[in-house]
Amino acid sequence: PLIPSFLRLFIRHVILYKKYIDYYKIKLSDIKNDGITVNLDFDVDFSETDISEYDLCGIFGNIFDNAYEACKELCDEERLITMSVKRHMDMICIFCENKYRHINEDLSTGKKDKKFHGIGLRRIRTIAQKYNGTSEISFGNGVFKLSVLLNLQT
């Protein structure tokens, strides 16, 4: 018997989600092992929202990936990721800040394998737009800032 297409799609997303979770457990362990401090102010219960787990992995995974890569290049006392996740009325506000040593002005990846790297910020923006939100980036004086707004009234 053939598996209905919606079921194949569901299974694919479940497998992908599990891979995301496993990957980010390892990534958070790497962050800790590399002496990077994470200050997290998290005040949102996402189970009370319609934001998919897949999209949450896409946002937070890419945020932590980028911040981690930037912090690895810094001396120990500068290795800090600060993140705030708050709900304000019908909006989720995610803010992340970290220092960096070098950044490409166009925010393109500095990695050699560009086929598999350099899409994280676009992915975050796409997810924010899906929830009628925005993502904004600013950087200068060695500090990178990312703000993501997600509208819960989609």
Side-chain angles (χ1 to χ4, degrees), residues 135-150:
S135 67
E136 295 185 16
I137 298 165
S138 65
F139 57 93
N141 298 319
V143 179
F144 181 89
K145 297 177 183 180
L146 171 66
S147 299
V148 181
L149 298 177
L150 305 172

Side-chain angles (χ1 to χ4, degrees), residues 51-67:
I51 301 170
S52 77
E53 293 169 338
Y54 178 78
D55 289 339
L56 291 173
C57 286
I59 291 171
F60 290 107
N62 283 301
I63 289 172
F64 277 116
D65 273 349
N66 292 339

Side-chain angles (χ1 to χ4, degrees), residues 49-120:
T49 73
D50 290 331
I51 301 170
S52 77
E53 293 169 338
Y54 178 78
D55 289 339
L56 291 173
C57 286
I59 291 171
F60 290 107
N62 283 301
I63 289 172
F64 277 116
D65 273 349
N66 292 339
Y68 172 66
E69 291 296 323
C71 286
K72 284 193 317 184
E73 297 178 359
L74 301 171
C75 59
D76 288 348
E77 61 271 5
E78 292 183 311
R79 292 180 170 197
L80 173 66
I81 300 170
T82 302
M83 181 181 282
S84 170
V85 183
K86 300 283 186 183
R87 182 174 182 161
H88 180 70
M89 298 175 61
D90 290 330
M91 298 295 288
I92 300 291
C93 308
I94 303 167
F95 176 77
C96 186
E97 178 178 301
N98 59 273
K99 292 186 177 184
Y100 63 88
R101 176 163 295 145
H102 171 76
I103 194 166
N104 293 331
E105 290 294 319
D106 65 356
L107 298 176
S108 62
T109 186
K111 295 181 180 178
K112 291 178 183 176
D113 187 0
K114 297 193 186 324
K115 182 178 179 183
F116 296 106
H117 297 285
I119 60 171

Side-chain angles (χ1 to χ4, degrees), residues 3 5-20 54:
I3 299 173
S5 61
F6 75 90
L7 188 55
R8 279 196 310 270
L9 184 63
F10 175 75
I11 290 169
R12 190 173 125 231
H13 282 293
V14 167
I15 291 169
L16 186 59
Y17 174 69
K18 182 175 178 348
K19 287 180 182 179
Y20 262 117
Y54 178 78

